[in-house]
Amino acid sequence: FLQMNIKKNKSGQMKIQQMAFMLIAVMVFFALVGLLVVTIGFSGLKEKATALQEKNAMLLASKLANSPEFSCGQTENCIDLDKVFVLKNNINKYKTGNKNFWGVSGIEIIKIYPKDSKLIECDSGNYPNCSKITIISGQGIAPENFVSLCRKEFDSETNIVYDKCELGKILVRYEKIQ
């Protein structure tokens, strides 16, 4: 009788062990499936963040051209180079801590037409005979937007001040997410 009880106990213990191993195997399976779902869900997250940042930079480039600090009046996508040159010299007023007002790593304006033989950075000595204004210097990816670059010009023959406009582009740089 005792031997039969021991056999039943061993058989019962074996079934309990089998059930425990099956439960562990099922839990491990569902954990692996969960990890796979999470990995697939987050796989394109960096690319999506970079694409969103690029889209925001392009929208910001359009907004900058029409903002009061850059705009030349009623015309859309028109940048007043005289305002921008003054802004460049006072850019430190647009910083809070180590961040700039617009939250980008760089803003540049480049004259495209009429084409200069080389890119000359604007400063107090050569303005307006230059082709590039770097408002915020920085590295990164730079989507560009085409704009009109206008400034006040004095005609000495007729003694008239008029708006001289040229074709240019505004580049808003942002850091690529690693």
Side-chain angles (χ1 to χ4, degrees):
F1 178 72
L2 186 61
Q3 203 170 18
M4 197 164 92
N5 247 351
I6 292 175
K7 262 190 174 177
K8 283 185 181 180
N9 279 344
K10 285 185 179 182
S11 170
Q13 284 179 351
M14 188 65 136
K15 287 184 181 183
I16 290 173
Q17 284 179 348
Q18 286 176 347
M19 180 63 74
F21 285 129
M22 280 302 293
L23 286 174
I24 290 171
V26 168
M27 293 296 286
V28 168
F29 174 74
F30 282 119
L32 289 175
V33 168
L35 283 174
L36 182 67
V37 168
V38 168
T39 302
I40 290 171
F42 288 123
S43 65
L45 196 60
K46 285 183 183 177
E47 290 82 14
K48 290 175 188 174
T50 301
L52 182 64
Q53 203 169 18
E54 180 178 1
K55 182 180 177 185
N56 285 341
M58 292 206 47
L59 288 172
L60 181 62
S62 295
K63 285 182 183 179
L64 281 178
N66 298 317
S67 71
E69 290 88 356
F70 291 76
S71 176
C72 59
Q74 279 76 13
T75 310
E76 280 192 35
N77 290 332
C78 177
I79 294 179
D80 186 338
L81 284 177
D82 296 329
K83 282 184 184 179
V84 170
F85 188 70
V86 171
L87 175 67
K88 174 187 174 177
N89 294 331
N90 295 303
I91 196 64
N92 290 333
K93 295 178 182 177
Y94 282 84
K95 290 186 178 179
T96 54
N98 60 355
K99 283 276 200 178
N100 61 57
F101 179 71
W102 295 281
V104 294
S105 61
I107 300 174
E108 295 175 10
I109 298 172
I110 299 173
K111 181 172 66 170
I112 297 174
Y113 185 82
K115 183 86 172 150
D116 287 338
S117 59
K118 55 185 170 179
L119 229 52
I120 301 170
E121 181 69 33
C122 292
D123 60 24
S124 301
N126 65 3
Y127 181 78
N129 300 320
C130 52
S131 55
K132 179 180 176 185
I133 297 178
T134 303
I135 299 166
I136 300 171
S137 61
Q139 299 295 317
I141 299 169
E144 53 193 44
N145 229 5
F146 292 98
V147 292
S148 297
L149 303 175
C150 297
R151 60 183 163 76
K152 298 292 183 192
E153 183 89 6
F154 178 72
D155 186 3
S156 58
E157 292 176 12
T158 60
N159 290 332
I160 295 177
V161 175
Y162 65 96
D163 285 333
K164 180 175 182 179
C165 295
E166 300 162 328
L167 182 62
K169 61 183 175 181
I170 182 168
L171 291 88
V172 177
R173 296 189 182 280
Y174 66 94
E175 301 277 333
K176 185 174 180 179
I177 296 175
Q178 299 296 327

